[in-house]
Amino acid sequence: QVQLVESGGNLVQAGGLLRLSCEASRDILSFRSTGWYRQAPGKQRELVATITRGGSENYAESVKGRFSISRDNARNTVDLQMNVLKPEDTAVYYCYAQPWAGSAYWGQGTQVTVSS
């Protein structure tokens, strides 16, 4: 069983920044892809940013130019740098790891709240 532990969620003012981190309990390069989703109250979970094993990055249109995903292979972590935060970024952010076969693993979520 893979454990994903997120950290870094907080309350921040609009225009501010936060950095989320997710640590995996096994070699992060063993996954096909890893990244972040988010879920706001009353809305479906949506993709925020992903990074493949090969290093290709993908971002939701709403966060392009503001968010950046990175991976530390030695620490088995995937981070999400969030700049110029907006109130609409308020959500629970979930780390995920997609293996080459089977269902994805998910973290427990970390709350990000952006005040206007």
Side-chain angles (χ1 to χ4, degrees):
Q1 183 68 16
V2 173
Q3 304 294 325
L4 300 173
V5 180
E6 301 115 329
S7 61
N10 212 328
L11 169 65
V12 64
Q13 288 188 332
L17 56 88
L18 281 176
R19 188 177 184 89
L20 305 182
S21 186
C22 172
E23 182 175 2
S25 60
R26 77 176 197 208
D27 184 2
I28 204 161
L29 290 179
S30 69
F31 299 105
R32 186 175 69 183
S33 67
T34 55
W36 295 87
Y37 278 66
R38 68 186 180 188
Q39 187 166 19
K43 295 188 177 182
Q44 289 189 330
R45 191 173 296 190
E46 63 175 3
L47 181 149
V48 177
T50 64
I51 183 167
T52 68
R53 188 191 186 284
S56 297
E57 300 172 14
N58 184 44
Y59 296 91
E61 284 295 326
S62 60
V63 307
K64 280 184 179 179
R66 299 189 298 122
F67 290 12
S68 177
I69 191 169
S70 61
R71 187 178 63 207
D72 187 325
N73 301 335
R75 295 173 54 234
N76 292 324
T77 58
V78 57
D79 290 358
L80 184 68
Q81 178 65 44
M82 305 187 294
N83 300 328
V84 194
L85 282 159
K86 303 176 181 180
E88 51 263 43
D89 294 319
T90 295
V92 178
Y93 283 69
Y94 296 92
C95 175
Y96 89 97
Q98 177 64 57
W100 292 95
S103 301
Y105 299 100
W106 294 90
Q108 80 286 355
T110 186
Q111 178 70 48
V112 172
T113 303
V114 184
S115 64
S116 57

